[in-house]
Amino acid sequence: MEAVRGDVLDADAVAEALRGVDVAYYLVHALGTGDTFEETDRRAARIFGEQARAAGVRRVVYLGGLTPADVPERELSPHLRSRAEVGRILLACGVPTTVLRAAVVIGSGSASFEMLRYLTERLPAMVTPSWVRTRIQPVAVRDVLRALVGSARMPPDVSRAFDIGGPDVLTYREMMIRYATVAELPRRLIVSLPMLSPGLSSHWVGLVTPVPASIARPLTESLRHEVVCQEHDIARYVPDPPGHPIGFDEAVRLALRRVRDAQVATRWSSASVPGAPSDPLPTDPDWAGGSLYTDVREIDVDAPRAALWRVIEGIGGENPLVPSRWPGAARPQDRLVGGSDCAGRATRPGCGSVTR
């Protein structure tokens, strides 16, 4: 794979990036750029579509937003209206186009998921807007990626939009409650108040979460719409393998796995594989990834580094950091040297960690 840097608002840069390309993925939106993001999205999509046709691209694949079937486009929130318009522009560009329409994508780095994550983790009790009662069909990031990759092989006569979603249709309130269950948090108390407008609720989200208000506001405004798949035609061209689509609880479990591993892995066998689709990526925004609390303590020791390191490597098993009636059991102090499993593995090289 070759990475090409460019600006989707610069036709020459887009033309250069698309030269020799067979399938072009359009994963761009202008949320967070200000009140004119709809116009920015419109311009960028037109430029991309025109240059894709000029370059002889065989297929364009676009990941957009799921919209309600019974709401006229003019009455949609600006965010969903822009997603729908970009899809229409690309479908009309003259290149066979696959438009994948998804609601909340469950995976680290997804703005909608990060908002759900922070609200649930940080508020044991909350007074919420009426949109927590809106029905949504979330989808696991693994299923989104599977649909994106599979779309590249669609026949040339297929040019249309497809709804993609998981097997669960839930209200936002139900998603928060089930997130708390999967994350092993105490049950959340959620009370909704109809008088909380989308504008007010976006400020509330901004106070509680690190998601920027310029992104949180369009997303919360969109939550007044019910977004449920009307079809599953994508399966004709990208068949569902066993176990897919992934359910909400399992999708959350996968998204939280790396965060838990970053704190303390409870078993060596549970360590996640780097690069899993649900894991955080270097390109994720700074506010993504959830709340990770660390306990850092320092003490000066009058001993050579090599001698100190030998002591640290010997901690665990029969040499616990603090004596315990249950040798090898999980104890809070074990977190200082790599997790509960280290307590029972005195001979595992590098079980402890120290800056050398």
Side-chain angles (χ1 to χ4, degrees):
M1 179 178 292
E2 179 184 358
V4 180
R5 187 180 183 89
D7 181 350
V8 289
L9 297 175
D10 182 338
D12 292 337
V14 175
E16 176 61 24
L18 291 175
R19 185 164 49 86
V21 168
D22 184 45
V23 178
Y25 288 85
Y26 192 74
L27 309 176
V28 176
H29 68 68
L31 282 184
T33 62
D35 294 337
T36 61
F37 76 87
E38 287 186 86
E39 173 57 27
T40 303
D41 272 337
R42 187 178 302 120
R43 286 175 51 211
R46 285 174 177 164
I47 290 171
F48 191 86
E50 291 167 358
Q51 297 306 320
R53 184 179 66 250
V57 170
R58 180 176 62 81
R59 176 166 296 276
V60 169
V61 181
Y62 164 59
L63 178 60
L66 189 59
T67 56
D70 57 348
V71 178
E73 191 170 306
R74 65 180 180 278
E75 297 179 13
L76 292 174
S77 67
H79 163 237
L80 290 184
R81 185 170 60 233
S82 182
R83 300 294 79 213
E85 183 182 20
V86 169
R88 279 202 329 275
I89 290 171
L90 294 176
L91 283 168
C93 75
V95 177
T97 297
T98 302
V99 173
L100 301 175
R101 309 193 317 159
V104 174
V105 177
I106 306 300
S108 186
S110 160
S112 296
F113 175 71
E114 297 296 346
M115 195 167 74
L116 172 72
R117 184 209 301 261
Y118 285 113
L119 287 175
T120 309
E121 289 182 350
R122 296 185 174 184
L123 294 176
M126 60 191 96
V127 176
T128 61
S130 58
W131 49 250
V132 297
R133 298 194 299 265
T134 302
R135 295 198 317 151
I136 300 167
Q137 190 165 352
V139 59
V141 67
R142 294 185 180 214
D143 286 318
V144 174
L145 292 174
R146 184 170 55 81
L148 285 167
V149 172
S151 294
R153 298 186 293 271
M154 285 188 177
D157 60 336
V158 176
S159 187
R160 54 162 291 190
F162 297 90
D163 294 352
I164 58 172
D168 302 301
V169 177
L170 306 166
T171 65
Y172 205 89
R173 181 180 184 276
E174 289 170 333
M175 288 198 296
M176 287 192 287
I177 290 173
R178 287 172 65 163
Y179 179 104
T181 300
V182 173
E184 299 178 357
L185 301 171
R187 183 176 175 84
R188 273 25 194 168
L189 176 62
I190 303 170
V191 179
S192 63
L193 290 180
M195 66 281 297
L196 277 178
S197 67
L200 286 174
S201 62
S202 69
H203 292 297
W204 167 68
V205 170
L207 285 173
V208 176
T209 81
V211 179
S214 58
I215 294 176
R217 183 182 179 94
L219 291 178
T220 54
E221 288 177 346
S222 297
L223 288 171
R224 71 176 188 263
H225 299 300
E226 181 175 284
V227 282
V228 177
C229 296
Q230 302 300 309
E231 42 83 9
H232 190 53
D233 295 348
I234 187 70
R236 299 179 193 169
Y237 307 99
V238 187
D240 296 325
H244 290 262
I246 297 171
F248 177 81
D249 292 357
E250 179 61 16
V252 171
R253 216 170 274 117
L254 290 166
L256 296 183
R257 183 180 62 179
R258 177 53 62 93
V259 174
R260 289 177 172 175
D261 285 353
Q263 291 175 332
V264 172
T266 56
R267 298 184 307 275
W268 291 103
S269 60
S270 71
S272 58
V273 178
S278 49
D279 288 345
L281 296 172
T283 52
D284 286 351
D286 293 339
W287 42 262
S291 303
L292 182 62
Y293 301 99
T294 59
D295 182 4
V296 179
R297 308 184 191 201
E298 297 180 1
I299 186 171
D300 292 328
V301 178
D302 186 16
R305 289 183 180 181
L308 176 61
W309 182 247
R310 283 195 298 272
V311 173
I312 292 174
E313 284 190 313
I315 295 173
E318 299 302 320
N319 301 297
L321 192 62
V322 176
S324 169
R325 284 178 294 174
W326 299 282
R331 301 179 298 273
Q333 64 268 19
D334 292 324
R335 294 175 178 267
L336 293 172
V337 289
S340 61
D341 194 52
C342 288
R345 296 177 182 266
T347 58
R348 175 172 285 277
C351 187
S353 62
V354 67
T355 301
R356 302 188 70 175

